Amino acid sequence: MHGKKLLLVTSSLPNEGKTTISTNLAIAAASRGKKVLLIDGNLHSPSIHKLFEKENLPKKKGLADILLSYDNPEEAIISSPIPKLDLILGGDRIEDPSNILAGEQLKRLLETVKQSYDYVIFDSSPAAMLSDTSDIANLMDAVLFVIRQDYTRIEYAKEGLALLSESGILSLGCVMNYAEAGLGSYGYGYYEYRYNKYQYGRYSRYSEKED
């Protein structure tokens, strides 16, 4: 990831755990002293706010509001209870967010925020279901693809990966989520180990079964 700041996290289908992976990846980076911005870009079904609902986050504009009104991104940035981790939540659900996510405003927003952060992690819609993910990929430096063990059908995973490869985005590989013990080093168990190592095990509550 040297020189790469904008990371897209996606999956082929809903409920594969990409939002949990995005959030925990952001926590892991912040725990190592990196300044991180986590953006909920799944405007069709925003869910990062659910992981922080116990934290009484301040009410601010969401990503959809900023993109539609051309407002300053600062009006949407929320300081999380985790040091060095900021958030931009999705805001109100949008049935078809393709138009606003494919516009120039998102490009300008990303160019602005990456000047202030070591990493910007963008949790997007599933790649095989909604066209906006492939449009977003053109704006990102790299992508991490989440696959849920014993859930994701291989044809859907191939379709999602093929759509992303068309953009030419750098692939960091796949994360096998909900992996059994024998695959723990490639799944969520790996990340949980890292948090405990850096004494961020108390943040393991930032996860949910469906996202």
Side-chain angles (χ1 to χ4, degrees):
M1 283 292 288
H2 179 68
K4 308 296 184 183
K5 286 194 168 190
L6 304 176
L7 174 62
L8 174 66
V9 180
T10 189
S11 61
S12 56
L13 299 170
N15 303 327
E16 295 195 74
K18 64 176 180 55
T19 298
T20 297
I21 294 294
S22 298
T23 302
N24 286 328
L25 186 61
I27 292 171
S31 76
R32 300 184 68 176
K34 302 298 183 181
K35 191 175 182 183
V36 183
L37 177 64
L38 176 62
I39 301 177
D40 192 340
N42 186 3
L43 301 185
H44 182 75
S45 182
S47 57
I48 286 178
H49 67 281
K50 297 177 184 176
L51 304 184
F52 291 88
E53 62 184 356
K54 295 181 181 179
E55 308 297 343
N56 296 317
L57 297 176
K59 180 69 174 178
K60 279 198 170 186
K61 294 181 178 180
L63 178 64
D65 302 312
I66 295 297
L67 297 181
L68 288 169
S69 61
Y70 294 84
D71 289 333
N72 190 317
E74 289 291 336
E75 296 186 34
I77 294 175
I78 298 172
S79 295
S80 83
I82 299 165
K84 294 188 175 295
L85 175 59
D86 290 343
L87 311 169
I88 291 182
L89 303 180
D92 294 332
R93 181 179 184 275
I94 297 179
E95 190 63 34
D96 183 7
S98 300
N99 289 336
I100 63 172
L101 289 173
E104 281 295 312
Q105 181 62 1
L106 178 59
K107 181 179 180 179
R108 286 194 289 267
L109 182 149
L110 293 171
E111 289 295 322
T112 297
V113 297
K114 77 176 186 179
Q115 305 302 320
S116 302
Y117 292 90
D118 296 306
Y119 295 114
V120 177
I121 298 176
F122 195 99
D123 177 42
S124 78
S125 302
M129 296 191 65
L130 298 170
S131 61
D132 50 84
T133 300
S134 56
D135 294 328
I136 295 167
N138 292 311
L139 306 177
M140 298 293 169
D141 295 325
V143 60
L144 188 66
F145 197 82
V146 178
I147 297 175
R148 180 174 176 176
Q149 185 185 13
D150 298 328
Y151 177 85
T152 308
R153 295 177 62 174
I154 187 65
E155 59 266 33
Y156 291 137
K158 286 182 176 179
E159 181 182 354
L161 289 166
L163 288 170
L164 292 168
S165 67
E166 291 175 2
S167 70
I169 189 173
L170 171 67
S171 175
L172 298 181
C174 300
V175 174
M176 183 69 75
N177 201 20
Y178 294 95
E180 295 178 356
L183 297 174
S185 61
Y186 295 95
Y188 183 78
Y190 170 78
Y191 293 108
E192 187 64 31
Y193 165 76
R194 295 291 290 182
Y195 305 146
N196 289 333
K197 180 178 179 181
Y198 289 99
Q199 297 182 349
Y200 274 71
R202 65 182 181 277
Y203 297 129
S204 60
R205 66 180 180 274
Y206 299 111
S207 64
E208 60 179 2
K209 293 183 178 180
E210 297 185 1
D211 55 353

